[in-house]
Short mmCIF file of all heavy atoms in Angstrom, two decimals:
data_model
loop_
_atom_site.label_atom_id
_atom_site.label_comp_id
_atom_site.label_asym_id
_atom_site.label_seq_id
_atom_site.Cartn_x
_atom_site.Cartn_y
_atom_site.Cartn_z
N THR A 871 2.14 4.93 -23.77
CA THR A 871 3.46 4.72 -23.34
C THR A 871 3.70 3.39 -22.62
O THR A 871 4.90 3.01 -22.34
CB THR A 871 4.10 5.81 -22.54
OG1 THR A 871 3.33 5.93 -21.40
CG2 THR A 871 4.04 7.17 -23.29
N PHE A 872 2.65 2.81 -22.22
CA PHE A 872 2.72 1.61 -21.36
C PHE A 872 3.10 0.47 -22.17
O PHE A 872 2.45 0.05 -23.20
CB PHE A 872 1.49 1.36 -20.54
CG PHE A 872 1.60 0.21 -19.55
CD1 PHE A 872 2.30 0.39 -18.35
CD2 PHE A 872 1.13 -1.01 -19.86
CE1 PHE A 872 2.36 -0.60 -17.47
CE2 PHE A 872 1.23 -2.05 -18.99
CZ PHE A 872 1.91 -1.87 -17.77
N ARG A 873 4.09 -0.36 -21.74
CA ARG A 873 4.38 -1.60 -22.33
C ARG A 873 4.48 -2.70 -21.32
O ARG A 873 4.78 -2.45 -20.15
CB ARG A 873 5.86 -1.45 -23.09
CG ARG A 873 5.80 -0.53 -24.27
CD ARG A 873 4.90 -1.08 -25.39
NE ARG A 873 4.78 -0.22 -26.54
CZ ARG A 873 3.78 0.68 -26.73
NH1 ARG A 873 2.84 0.77 -25.86
NH2 ARG A 873 3.78 1.46 -27.77
N ILE A 874 4.21 -3.88 -21.71
CA ILE A 874 4.02 -4.98 -20.77
C ILE A 874 5.27 -5.66 -20.39
O ILE A 874 5.26 -6.85 -20.04
CB ILE A 874 2.88 -5.91 -21.24
CG1 ILE A 874 3.35 -6.58 -22.56
CG2 ILE A 874 1.60 -5.23 -21.32
CD1 ILE A 874 2.45 -7.72 -23.00
N SER A 875 6.42 -5.05 -20.50
CA SER A 875 7.67 -5.74 -20.20
C SER A 875 7.74 -6.10 -18.69
O SER A 875 8.32 -7.12 -18.36
CB SER A 875 8.82 -4.89 -20.55
OG SER A 875 8.74 -3.61 -19.92
N GLU A 876 7.08 -5.30 -17.87
CA GLU A 876 7.07 -5.63 -16.47
C GLU A 876 5.53 -5.47 -16.08
O GLU A 876 5.00 -4.46 -15.97
CB GLU A 876 7.91 -4.69 -15.63
CG GLU A 876 9.40 -4.83 -15.88
CD GLU A 876 10.19 -3.95 -14.97
OE1 GLU A 876 9.66 -2.99 -14.38
OE2 GLU A 876 11.34 -4.28 -14.80
N ILE A 877 4.96 -6.65 -15.80
CA ILE A 877 3.48 -6.69 -15.57
C ILE A 877 3.13 -7.82 -14.65
O ILE A 877 3.90 -8.83 -14.61
CB ILE A 877 2.72 -6.68 -16.86
CG1 ILE A 877 1.21 -6.36 -16.64
CG2 ILE A 877 2.85 -8.07 -17.55
CD1 ILE A 877 0.52 -5.94 -17.90
N GLY A 878 2.04 -7.69 -13.92
CA GLY A 878 1.69 -8.75 -13.08
C GLY A 878 0.18 -9.03 -13.02
O GLY A 878 -0.56 -8.20 -13.52
N TRP A 879 -0.14 -10.19 -12.49
CA TRP A 879 -1.58 -10.55 -12.18
C TRP A 879 -1.76 -10.49 -10.66
O TRP A 879 -0.90 -11.00 -9.91
CB TRP A 879 -1.86 -12.00 -12.70
CG TRP A 879 -2.16 -12.00 -14.20
CD1 TRP A 879 -1.28 -12.32 -15.16
CD2 TRP A 879 -3.36 -11.74 -14.75
NE1 TRP A 879 -1.91 -12.27 -16.32
CE2 TRP A 879 -3.22 -11.89 -16.18
CE3 TRP A 879 -4.66 -11.27 -14.30
CZ2 TRP A 879 -4.16 -11.72 -17.10
CZ3 TRP A 879 -5.69 -11.12 -15.25
CH2 TRP A 879 -5.48 -11.31 -16.58
N TYR A 880 -2.90 -10.01 -10.30
CA TYR A 880 -3.26 -9.87 -8.88
C TYR A 880 -4.67 -10.40 -8.71
O TYR A 880 -5.44 -10.65 -9.68
CB TYR A 880 -3.28 -8.40 -8.43
CG TYR A 880 -1.92 -7.71 -8.66
CD1 TYR A 880 -1.55 -7.27 -9.91
CD2 TYR A 880 -1.02 -7.45 -7.62
CE1 TYR A 880 -0.33 -6.61 -10.14
CE2 TYR A 880 0.10 -6.81 -7.75
CZ TYR A 880 0.49 -6.40 -9.02
OH TYR A 880 1.67 -5.77 -9.23
N ARG A 881 -5.02 -10.75 -7.46
CA ARG A 881 -6.38 -11.20 -7.26
C ARG A 881 -6.90 -10.68 -5.87
O ARG A 881 -6.14 -10.40 -4.99
CB ARG A 881 -6.47 -12.72 -7.26
CG ARG A 881 -5.75 -13.48 -6.19
CD ARG A 881 -5.81 -14.95 -6.39
NE ARG A 881 -5.19 -15.71 -5.33
CZ ARG A 881 -4.91 -16.99 -5.38
NH1 ARG A 881 -5.32 -17.75 -6.45
NH2 ARG A 881 -4.32 -17.60 -4.42
N GLN A 882 -8.16 -10.57 -5.78
CA GLN A 882 -8.82 -10.22 -4.50
C GLN A 882 -10.04 -11.08 -4.25
O GLN A 882 -11.02 -11.06 -5.04
CB GLN A 882 -9.23 -8.68 -4.58
CG GLN A 882 -9.73 -8.21 -3.23
CD GLN A 882 -9.80 -6.73 -3.14
OE1 GLN A 882 -9.91 -6.03 -4.24
NE2 GLN A 882 -9.79 -6.08 -1.91
N ALA A 883 -9.94 -11.79 -3.15
CA ALA A 883 -11.03 -12.67 -2.76
C ALA A 883 -11.96 -11.82 -1.83
O ALA A 883 -11.54 -10.90 -1.25
CB ALA A 883 -10.53 -13.89 -2.01
N PRO A 884 -13.21 -12.31 -1.74
CA PRO A 884 -14.11 -11.57 -0.83
C PRO A 884 -13.58 -11.44 0.57
O PRO A 884 -13.12 -12.42 1.18
CB PRO A 884 -15.36 -12.44 -0.91
CG PRO A 884 -15.33 -13.15 -2.15
CD PRO A 884 -13.87 -13.42 -2.39
N GLY A 885 -13.62 -10.24 1.10
CA GLY A 885 -13.14 -10.06 2.49
C GLY A 885 -11.66 -10.04 2.67
O GLY A 885 -11.17 -9.95 3.83
N LYS A 886 -10.89 -10.10 1.64
CA LYS A 886 -9.46 -10.17 1.73
C LYS A 886 -8.80 -9.06 0.91
O LYS A 886 -9.43 -8.53 -0.01
CB LYS A 886 -8.94 -11.56 1.20
CG LYS A 886 -9.41 -12.67 2.08
CD LYS A 886 -8.72 -13.94 1.59
CE LYS A 886 -9.09 -15.13 2.52
NZ LYS A 886 -8.43 -16.38 2.04
N GLN A 887 -7.55 -8.77 1.26
CA GLN A 887 -6.83 -7.77 0.53
C GLN A 887 -6.38 -8.29 -0.85
O GLN A 887 -6.23 -9.58 -1.01
CB GLN A 887 -5.64 -7.30 1.31
CG GLN A 887 -5.91 -6.55 2.49
CD GLN A 887 -4.67 -5.90 3.20
OE1 GLN A 887 -3.59 -6.46 3.14
NE2 GLN A 887 -4.78 -4.75 3.81
N ARG A 888 -6.16 -7.38 -1.79
CA ARG A 888 -5.66 -7.78 -3.05
C ARG A 888 -4.24 -8.31 -2.88
O ARG A 888 -3.44 -7.77 -2.10
CB ARG A 888 -5.64 -6.57 -3.97
CG ARG A 888 -5.24 -6.94 -5.43
CD ARG A 888 -5.41 -5.67 -6.25
NE ARG A 888 -6.77 -5.34 -6.51
CZ ARG A 888 -7.34 -4.12 -6.54
NH1 ARG A 888 -6.57 -3.07 -6.15
NH2 ARG A 888 -8.66 -3.89 -6.84
N GLU A 889 -3.85 -9.36 -3.63
CA GLU A 889 -2.56 -9.99 -3.48
C GLU A 889 -1.96 -10.29 -4.83
O GLU A 889 -2.72 -10.42 -5.88
CB GLU A 889 -2.69 -11.31 -2.72
CG GLU A 889 -3.51 -12.38 -3.36
CD GLU A 889 -3.53 -13.70 -2.58
OE1 GLU A 889 -2.78 -13.89 -1.71
OE2 GLU A 889 -4.26 -14.64 -3.07
N LEU A 890 -0.66 -10.30 -4.85
CA LEU A 890 0.08 -10.57 -6.07
C LEU A 890 -0.03 -12.09 -6.34
O LEU A 890 0.27 -12.87 -5.48
CB LEU A 890 1.57 -10.16 -5.98
CG LEU A 890 2.45 -10.44 -7.12
CD1 LEU A 890 2.04 -9.69 -8.38
CD2 LEU A 890 3.90 -10.24 -6.78
N VAL A 891 -0.32 -12.47 -7.60
CA VAL A 891 -0.37 -13.86 -8.01
C VAL A 891 0.86 -14.25 -8.82
O VAL A 891 1.50 -15.27 -8.51
CB VAL A 891 -1.64 -14.10 -8.83
CG1 VAL A 891 -1.57 -15.54 -9.35
CG2 VAL A 891 -2.90 -13.87 -8.01
N ALA A 892 1.21 -13.35 -9.78
CA ALA A 892 2.38 -13.66 -10.62
C ALA A 892 2.79 -12.37 -11.31
O ALA A 892 1.94 -11.51 -11.53
CB ALA A 892 2.03 -14.79 -11.67
N ARG A 893 4.05 -12.25 -11.61
CA ARG A 893 4.54 -11.17 -12.31
C ARG A 893 5.72 -11.44 -13.21
O ARG A 893 6.41 -12.41 -12.87
CB ARG A 893 4.78 -9.91 -11.50
CG ARG A 893 5.86 -10.16 -10.35
CD ARG A 893 5.94 -8.86 -9.48
NE ARG A 893 7.00 -9.07 -8.51
CZ ARG A 893 7.19 -8.18 -7.49
NH1 ARG A 893 6.50 -7.02 -7.47
NH2 ARG A 893 8.11 -8.33 -6.56
N VAL A 894 6.01 -10.77 -14.24
CA VAL A 894 7.04 -11.03 -15.09
C VAL A 894 7.79 -9.75 -15.42
O VAL A 894 7.20 -8.71 -15.54
CB VAL A 894 6.53 -11.71 -16.38
CG1 VAL A 894 5.55 -10.77 -17.08
CG2 VAL A 894 7.64 -12.11 -17.31
N SER A 895 9.15 -9.88 -15.40
CA SER A 895 10.02 -8.80 -15.81
C SER A 895 11.10 -9.35 -16.67
O SER A 895 11.83 -10.22 -16.29
CB SER A 895 10.65 -8.17 -14.52
OG SER A 895 11.58 -7.20 -14.93
N GLY A 896 11.06 -8.93 -17.94
CA GLY A 896 12.04 -9.52 -18.93
C GLY A 896 11.74 -10.99 -19.03
O GLY A 896 10.61 -11.43 -19.33
N ASN A 897 12.71 -11.77 -18.76
CA ASN A 897 12.56 -13.25 -18.87
C ASN A 897 12.37 -13.90 -17.50
O ASN A 897 12.28 -15.14 -17.37
CB ASN A 897 13.78 -13.85 -19.52
CG ASN A 897 13.97 -13.47 -20.93
OD1 ASN A 897 12.99 -13.36 -21.64
ND2 ASN A 897 15.16 -13.25 -21.39
N ARG A 898 12.18 -13.10 -16.45
CA ARG A 898 11.98 -13.68 -15.11
C ARG A 898 10.57 -13.59 -14.70
O ARG A 898 9.88 -12.55 -14.84
CB ARG A 898 12.82 -12.82 -14.14
CG ARG A 898 12.62 -13.28 -12.71
CD ARG A 898 13.30 -12.28 -11.73
NE ARG A 898 12.87 -12.64 -10.30
CZ ARG A 898 13.77 -13.14 -9.45
NH1 ARG A 898 14.98 -13.35 -9.71
NH2 ARG A 898 13.35 -13.45 -8.26
N ALA A 899 10.05 -14.70 -14.24
CA ALA A 899 8.66 -14.70 -13.71
C ALA A 899 8.73 -15.17 -12.25
O ALA A 899 9.41 -16.01 -11.87
CB ALA A 899 7.82 -15.74 -14.56
N ASP A 900 7.87 -14.50 -11.48
CA ASP A 900 7.78 -14.89 -10.01
C ASP A 900 6.29 -15.17 -9.81
O ASP A 900 5.36 -14.62 -10.22
CB ASP A 900 8.22 -13.75 -9.18
CG ASP A 900 9.64 -13.40 -9.29
OD1 ASP A 900 10.48 -14.32 -9.20
OD2 ASP A 900 9.96 -12.20 -9.60
N TYR A 901 6.10 -16.16 -8.85
CA TYR A 901 4.84 -16.61 -8.46
C TYR A 901 4.56 -16.61 -6.99
O TYR A 901 5.48 -16.89 -6.19
CB TYR A 901 4.50 -17.97 -9.08
CG TYR A 901 4.58 -18.09 -10.58
CD1 TYR A 901 5.84 -18.39 -11.20
CD2 TYR A 901 3.48 -17.92 -11.34
CE1 TYR A 901 5.90 -18.34 -12.55
CE2 TYR A 901 3.54 -17.96 -12.69
CZ TYR A 901 4.73 -18.17 -13.31
OH TYR A 901 4.78 -18.27 -14.66
N ALA A 902 3.36 -16.41 -6.58
CA ALA A 902 2.97 -16.65 -5.18
C ALA A 902 3.11 -18.15 -4.88
O ALA A 902 2.85 -18.91 -5.70
CB ALA A 902 1.59 -16.17 -4.89
N ASP A 903 3.56 -18.44 -3.61
CA ASP A 903 3.72 -19.86 -3.29
C ASP A 903 2.41 -20.64 -3.51
O ASP A 903 2.47 -21.86 -3.91
CB ASP A 903 4.09 -19.99 -1.80
CG ASP A 903 5.50 -19.50 -1.54
OD1 ASP A 903 6.26 -19.33 -2.49
OD2 ASP A 903 5.86 -19.20 -0.39
N SER A 904 1.26 -19.95 -3.30
CA SER A 904 -0.01 -20.66 -3.43
C SER A 904 -0.29 -21.12 -4.83
O SER A 904 -1.19 -22.03 -4.98
CB SER A 904 -1.09 -19.85 -2.81
OG SER A 904 -1.20 -18.65 -3.57
N VAL A 905 0.28 -20.61 -5.83
CA VAL A 905 -0.05 -20.88 -7.17
C VAL A 905 1.16 -21.49 -7.94
O VAL A 905 0.97 -21.87 -9.13
CB VAL A 905 -0.55 -19.68 -8.06
CG1 VAL A 905 -1.73 -19.04 -7.30
CG2 VAL A 905 0.52 -18.67 -8.31
N LEU A 906 2.29 -21.60 -7.30
CA LEU A 906 3.57 -22.10 -8.03
C LEU A 906 3.31 -23.42 -8.42
O LEU A 906 2.83 -24.38 -7.72
CB LEU A 906 4.68 -21.97 -7.00
CG LEU A 906 6.01 -22.24 -7.53
CD1 LEU A 906 6.48 -21.30 -8.58
CD2 LEU A 906 7.13 -22.33 -6.42
#
């Protein structure tokens, strides 16, 4: 049942918490400031 209409990329560096990198919903995409 899963469809990728709303999905995101995350990352976790050593010793750090997992963080959101980018995500998309419909035609809208959002990015972390560090990767924009």
